[in-house]
Amino acid sequence: MRKTMLVTAPVSAVVLVLAAGSAAGHDKPAGLPDSPRFDLRKPAYPLFLHRWIKHQTVMQSFGFDVRNKRLFVAQLTNGRSADRNGDLTISQLDFSGRLKGHMYLKGFGHGVAIGVEPAGDASYLWVEVDPRGESARGTRLARFRFTKGKTLRNTSSALAKYQPVRGARAVTATIDPVNGRLAMRYNKNGWRVAVYRLADIKARRYSRRLTDVRLPSQGDETFQGYALYGRYLYTYYGNAYSRHNPPPGNARIAAIDLRTGKRVAGPTLTRAGRRLTYREPEGMAVYRTSSGEVRLFFGFASNRVRARQVNLFYKKAFVR
């Protein structure tokens, strides 16, 4: 599902959390952890193929609870009004792709990206919230505990809301589970990404962001997700198979050095899952195995209308 639409700027008499900083400048990236860079030219490996989630709409994004070995997938809830209202379904899967539970979110957004944070034996999700516009996109971040079978509305007291950048639109988040960092992609006079320590953003110390850079132009590419690992942001682009986009398709991955804001690799075409039906690129996340291997995951939705399935692949080689 196309993810480049913008929303109108939010106007509200009541702001739950006031931001402490501005995104006008290019902050010095002090505190960004160093890291190797994934080699986007190397092969990708499947985690699983052709798996079902709660509804048969297109997967939008996913994330891992590394500590508790859980996988969460976001999608628009069934129904014509879901995109307009920002209604999402979150499915919990195991690493074989078996559905283990779900919850519903009412009035949140489109689900372009989600963050997952372990806290003891619980999993907390970071999801956009309080959307504006005909095709709902969030204007703040919400943090909440995943609870099987629960329905949360955007007015629920179970939510902690954060607004690191005032006036931001299309706000989403992803988490670097290795380094404890959160990247927030947002639109304010163009697309930007800001990175924070998790502890700082939860304490609303927004002025302590590690970097805030304008993202390189994506031209006419369709943005489909992003992931953070160390000093690099990985971005995902492409469209479903069609008469104008036949196999192997146009799914591409790029790497941005957050110390400069410049693309340093890609966009690189991936042929992973090239035999899938429909094959729309959707979502990215980082995972670290119990043996310490760090993996860059990216997904594809597949199968026919009203029967979409989830397929996950990963890269594990680094540039030498």
Side-chain angles (χ1 to χ4, degrees):
M1 183 170 289
R2 190 168 182 87
K3 296 178 177 168
T4 54
M5 295 180 66
L6 302 184
V7 296
T8 56
V11 179
S12 176
V14 179
V15 178
L16 296 180
V17 182
L18 294 179
S22 166
H26 181 144
D27 293 351
K28 182 180 179 181
L32 265 183
D34 202 0
S35 63
R37 174 165 55 86
F38 284 101
D39 192 335
L40 304 181
R41 302 165 300 177
K42 297 298 184 182
Y45 305 89
L47 178 66
F48 56 68
L49 302 173
H50 312 301
R51 296 299 192 263
W52 299 102
I53 45 182
K54 177 60 179 176
H55 297 296
Q56 281 71 59
T57 57
V58 168
M59 166 185 69
Q60 297 295 326
S61 58
F62 60 93
F64 295 96
D65 178 336
V66 171
R67 180 186 302 165
N68 295 300
K69 311 301 184 196
R70 297 175 185 137
L71 167 63
F72 298 94
V73 178
Q75 64 185 138
L76 290 173
T77 303
N78 282 343
R80 294 182 178 180
S81 63
D83 192 25
R84 183 176 66 251
N85 296 337
D87 296 341
L88 299 174
T89 299
I90 306 291
S91 296
Q92 180 191 336
L93 282 67
D94 64 19
F95 289 178
S96 296
R98 292 175 294 209
L99 183 63
K100 308 297 287 186
H102 71 278
M103 68 184 301
Y104 294 117
L105 309 178
K106 302 289 188 179
F108 279 69
H110 193 76
V112 174
I114 61 172
V116 183
E117 175 197 355
D121 61 358
S123 301
Y124 281 79
L125 305 186
W126 291 76
V127 181
E128 63 190 288
V129 72
D130 296 340
R132 299 288 188 274
E134 293 183 4
S135 183
R137 299 296 191 273
T139 57
R140 298 180 178 88
L141 296 178
R143 178 182 181 267
F144 57 91
R145 181 172 179 164
F146 178 84
T147 306
K148 293 180 183 179
K150 188 170 185 178
T151 297
L152 281 181
R153 298 188 179 277
N154 63 349
T155 54
S156 171
S157 60
L159 303 178
K161 293 186 180 182
Y162 304 86
Q163 192 179 36
V165 178
R166 283 191 291 256
R169 300 173 291 162
V171 174
T172 57
T174 189
I175 285 177
D176 175 350
V178 179
N179 297 290
R181 305 295 195 265
L182 179 144
M184 184 183 78
R185 180 178 179 262
Y186 66 97
N187 189 278
K188 186 175 182 181
N189 301 317
W191 288 104
R192 305 183 66 91
V193 66
V195 179
Y196 304 83
R197 293 181 178 88
L198 265 175
D200 284 338
I201 199 166
K202 287 194 290 186
R204 298 183 172 88
R205 296 189 290 260
Y206 302 140
S207 61
R208 296 189 183 182
R209 62 189 166 195
L210 305 179
T211 191
D212 187 329
V213 298
R214 183 177 297 275
L215 294 174
S217 172
Q218 65 189 57
D220 60 356
E221 296 170 302
T222 301
F223 188 86
Q224 298 287 14
Y226 62 109
L228 174 69
Y229 175 53
R231 64 185 280 188
Y232 296 103
L233 188 80
Y234 298 89
T235 51
Y236 196 25
Y237 308 89
N239 305 92
Y241 283 161
S242 68
R243 180 167 58 89
H244 302 291
N245 182 40
N250 63 357
R252 290 175 166 82
I253 302 173
I256 297 168
D257 188 338
L258 290 172
R259 295 185 176 182
T260 64
K262 306 295 185 183
R263 267 185 186 168
V264 291
T268 300
L269 182 73
T270 176
R271 297 175 182 269
R274 61 187 179 276
R275 294 186 177 87
L276 293 171
T277 302
Y278 180 72
R279 190 183 181 264
E280 183 174 10
E282 298 284 355
M284 297 193 85
V286 167
Y287 180 75
R288 181 171 61 183
T289 69
S290 55
S291 64
E293 180 180 87
V294 181
R295 297 174 176 178
L296 177 66
F297 275 85
F298 55 100
F300 293 99
S302 65
N303 210 14
R304 65 188 185 278
V305 176
R306 291 185 290 278
R308 301 301 192 199
Q309 294 177 313
V310 172
N311 308 268
L312 295 190
F313 294 83
Y314 63 91
K315 290 179 180 288
K316 61 180 182 179
F318 290 98
V319 174
R320 301 297 179 185

